[in-house]
Structure formats: C-alpha cells, structure tokens
Amino acid sequence: MRRSLGPCLFAASLTLASFGGSHVAAQTIDAVTTTLLSDSRVTAALDAIKADDARTLKEQIRITEIPAPPFKENVRGNYILSRFQELGFKDAVIDAEGNVIARRRGSGGTPKLVISAHQDTVFPEGTDVTVREKDGVYLAPGIGDDARGLAALLSLMQTLNTQQIATVGDIMFVASVGEEELGNLRGVKALFRDNKDIDGFISIDGLGVTRIVNQGTGSHRYEMIFKGPGGHSFQEFGLPSATHALGRAVAKISELQTPADPKTTFTVGTVSGGTSVNAIAAEARMTIDMRSNSTEELLKLEARLLDQVKDAVGEENKRWGSDKITVEIKLIGDRPAGIVTEDSPLVQATARAVTALTRAPHVTFAGSSTDSNLAMSLGIPAVTIGGGGQGGNWHSRNEWYKPVDAYIGPQNALLTMLVLTGVEGVTKPVLPARH
C-alpha cells in the first residue's frame, strides 16, 4: 500500500449523520445494519471471528514469512490458493496475471462485490522476512502491509462458510498482485479487464478500521535517460554532457509550483550516470514520481515537467553548440486517480459498520494510493479499509505489528460485505447492481 500523502482530504472526521446526499439511503443502510446485528447467524459469525483471532495472527505470521517480492509473488500465491481451497473454495484459481481468485455465488446473482488484499511486498528477493516477537510486538518486512490484509481475508472466508451464511449477491475474493512499487496495479487492471460485471470493490490494506480510504491518489512515474557522445574530460572538452543536461533538468523541476489543494506533489527520486570522474558522461538517468488527488492537476504537472526536461536538453546542446544530447522518456508507472462520494451506498455501509462495531463517534475519510484506485477510476464504487491491529515503519525492514483488537478488522469487512450483498431471508443488498 502507498501511504496517505497527507491529512484527510475531507473533514477530519464525519459522523454518519453528516453524510451529504441521500438521507433516505443513510436511513436504509442504518436499518439494514441494525437488522443484521440482531440476526443470530450474523452475531455468531462476528463472535467466531473474534474467537479465531489468535489463529488469524498465526496465519498472518505464516504469510509474512513467504517472500513475495515485486513481480515474484508466485510462491505466496500458491500458498494462498491452497488456503482458499482448504476453506471450501475448491474452484479457486490463479489467473494469468497471478491473482488468486475464489467466487462465492449468492442466491440472487447480483450485485457482485470484490473483497481483495494484495500479495506483493516492496522488498527485493533475498530479504529476510523472518518474524521476530518482542513484548507482544511482531517485527518483519510486510507483516502489516499486506500480510494482515490477506490473513483478514482468509478469516472472513472461513467464517462465511463455517457459519453457513448465504448472501444474495455474489462475492469474489481476490489476493491480487502488483499493488506495490512498479507493479503498477497490474493485478487489479487484469481483474477488471477480465470481469466487466463487478459492482463494488473493497480492498483490505493498512490497519486502522476507523479510517476509510474513499479517494485514490493518482500517480505518474517516469524514467528519463539522457544520452550524449561522451569523451575524455580534458581532451574532448567542449562536448555536451548527459549529466549536465540531467542537472539542468533537476534544477528546473525543483522550481515547479503545485497546488496545495488538491494536493499535488513531485520528486526526482533517483539519479545515476557517468563512468568516471574524468569522463564527460555519455549517459545519465533519473526517475521521477508525480502524484495528485486530481487527474486534471496531475496531467497539468506532467505536461509542465516534461517540457522542462526537453528545455534542459536544448539548453545543454545550445551551451556547447551541439545537437548530440537526447533524452528518452519512459512512463514506468501509471496509477489513475478517483473518488467515491460520501453519499455512495458503499461508503455509507462501510462507515455504518465501523461505527456499529467500534462504537466510535466518527470515522475518518482519507486519500491514498491502493488497489481501489483502479475501480474508482472506472466509476465503480470502492473503498480501502484496515485489517485491524496497530503497526508502523511501513515499507521498512523494521515494520512492526501489534494485534490490539485485531479481530475488528475482519469483523468490519464481514459486516460491510453483508450489508452490501444482503443475507438470504434477512436483508436485501444495498449495493446497486451496475449491470
């Protein structure tokens, strides 16, 4: 998961009563939630998740210790497939992209809701992923992001089947690939390419259950490769330099101005090039990350930044009376931006479930970059919710996790899912069918 780029994009906190839009819809969702919480099967399922808390933590540790570096999630994927099948989803499969997918049919066939967590981590092959415990805190790369999400997903699936809860709508459980780094959301891109009938999407990513991500922060990433003739620093002095051109570009980029709202950011993340201290560089490279909560602002920034890079090449060539410096511009990351409004049934259902389970007076709405971005960009309602517990030091080898009330994560996912898809003989779905 990409951490949030700033404070809440909306009000710092919103009570359920303050949702804009359809008051009637909010009342309906409140009534549905209350009905479900008075149903003995649902309460038994919630109790079963709590009772399963210790085993879910063991599952989380097991998943953490299976390496899943970028583009190499297959070992973890095979384990997740085996667990899906052991939990009764015999028809679970791994698709061509590497997503592990299981389908649970509802009595009505619609709506179709996806509940997902991502397999991959940011850590390269060979990283020690052994989990260490100290004073009730568990430390390992990826233990929270997103091993917790996967463990919560498995707990949810197990509870649905053991408690024999029949939904009206269909549910698709997905362990996705390519959420992190340059994975570029390839897993969910393939999912939505191959499944045109998805009506809603929930990603379990992160930990805090009272924080709901309903805005996807978009990003574009580029690699810029500057090339020139190269030569000896003394004998060939007068030739243009690839590193000088890169330096001019960095200086220009650093002076760009972006709006604070919608938050729009940029950075030159890495630079490299040259062959020795006494050589005019024939090649230099840099990578750039641009982000915004607005697609329009992201595109504006991108256009200005690319112009600055091309101007830098022109200036380096002009300085030496040359045309030998060129730049190759490669788009290496594209995450679309999107938003789901607060009055969306999916957002309201999620918020109502959180307040019912935690008795929190309000929930926090936020923006981040997760698998939900893709659904949002397609106009499909989506949120990202936490898997439960506490943690920190994301994307570091010192990532930590503490299972404080961790069971609330999968409980929240279960209740939200049941509100949205409906329970046979008890409630109707509140998630609208798009097809």
Side-chain angles (χ1 to χ4, degrees), residues 229-424:
H232 192 279
S233 63
F234 189 79
Q235 294 175 353
E236 305 295 337
F237 184 73
L239 292 176
S241 166
T243 56
H244 290 186
L246 181 149
R248 291 178 189 273
V250 172
K252 287 177 175 291
I253 291 168
S254 69
E255 298 298 326
L256 288 170
Q257 299 293 320
T258 58
D261 184 20
K263 186 169 184 178
T264 304
T265 66
F266 62 88
T267 189
V268 177
T270 64
V271 295
S272 62
T275 53
S276 71
V277 69
N278 63 337
I280 299 169
E283 183 174 298
R285 298 171 179 249
M286 66 180 179
T287 56
I288 299 171
D289 176 272
M290 293 173 273
R291 299 189 183 207
S292 181
N293 291 325
S294 161
T295 298
E296 181 181 1
E297 290 298 332
L298 180 61
L299 294 175
K300 286 180 182 178
L301 171 62
E302 179 183 58
R304 283 184 289 150
L305 189 147
L306 294 178
D307 284 344
Q308 296 284 42
V309 170
K310 293 170 185 175
D311 288 346
V313 170
E315 290 177 8
E316 178 64 13
N317 278 327
K318 183 177 179 181
R319 165 67 179 83
W320 302 104
S322 172
D323 61 358
K324 300 298 184 183
I325 293 292
T326 61
V327 61
E328 181 182 354
I329 299 174
K330 294 181 178 180
L331 179 67
I332 58 174
D334 180 6
R335 291 174 176 240
I339 186 170
V340 181
T341 59
E342 299 157 39
D343 61 358
S344 161
L346 188 144
V347 174
Q348 291 191 30
T350 307
R352 184 64 183 90
V354 169
T355 56
L357 292 170
T358 65
R359 302 186 186 279
H362 53 255
V363 297
T364 300
F365 295 94
S368 190
S369 180
T370 69
D371 273 340
S372 293
N373 281 45
L374 200 282
M376 293 176 187
S377 73
L378 296 172
I380 298 170
V383 292
T384 295
I385 60 177
Q390 300 173 357
N393 292 342
W394 308 107
H395 290 189
S396 81
R397 286 173 170 78
N398 295 316
E399 188 172 333
W400 62 273
Y401 180 79
K402 190 172 183 179
V404 178
D405 297 331
Y407 60 88
I408 297 178
Q411 280 186 338
N412 179 45
L414 174 68
L415 184 56
T416 300
M417 180 199 69
L418 295 180
V419 171
L420 292 170
T421 61
V423 174
E424 177 64 23

Side-chain angles (χ1 to χ4, degrees), residues 60-199:
Q60 181 178 346
I61 292 170
R62 172 70 179 120
I63 292 169
T64 303
E65 292 184 334
I66 302 173
F71 297 94
K72 295 182 178 180
E73 304 98 333
N74 58 304
V75 176
R76 182 176 287 187
N78 286 329
Y79 173 74
I80 296 296
L81 176 64
S82 70
R83 292 293 293 123
F84 278 16
Q85 293 172 339
E86 288 168 4
L87 292 175
F89 295 84
K90 301 300 183 183
D91 295 332
V93 297
I94 298 179
D95 70 10
E97 197 64 48
N99 299 310
V100 186
I101 299 174
R103 293 175 172 84
R104 195 173 193 268
R105 304 292 183 185
S107 61
T110 59
K112 177 179 282 187
L113 177 68
V114 172
I115 301 185
S116 177
H118 68 84
Q119 299 177 44
D120 56 319
T121 71
V122 301
F123 304 98
E125 196 170 14
T127 299
D128 184 359
V129 290
T130 304
V131 177
R132 295 166 289 127
E133 187 270 335
K134 183 178 181 181
D135 300 327
V137 176
Y138 297 83
L139 297 96
I143 189 164
D145 185 13
D146 193 24
R148 178 60 198 177
L150 291 167
L153 186 71
L154 292 171
S155 176
L156 174 63
M157 296 169 71
Q158 174 175 286
T159 301
L160 273 175
N161 278 359
T162 58
Q163 299 299 317
Q164 299 181 337
I165 295 178
T167 60
V168 177
D170 290 355
I171 306 165
M172 181 182 291
F173 298 98
V174 179
S176 68
V177 295
E179 193 275 344
E180 297 285 14
E181 294 297 316
L182 296 180
N184 205 26
L185 306 185
R186 61 188 177 88
V188 287
K189 287 178 179 178
L191 179 72
F192 283 96
R193 181 195 67 216
D194 298 339
N195 298 273
K196 304 297 186 182
D197 57 347
I198 294 171
D199 299 304

Side-chain angles (χ1 to χ4, degrees), residues 7-22:
C8 175
L9 300 172
F10 309 102
S13 62
L14 297 174
T15 62
L16 187 65
S18 72
F19 283 126
S22 175

Side-chain angles (χ1 to χ4, degrees), residues 16 25-35 352:
L16 187 65
Q27 288 182 319
T28 301
I29 289 169
D30 187 75
V32 169
T33 306
T34 300
T35 299
R352 184 64 183 90

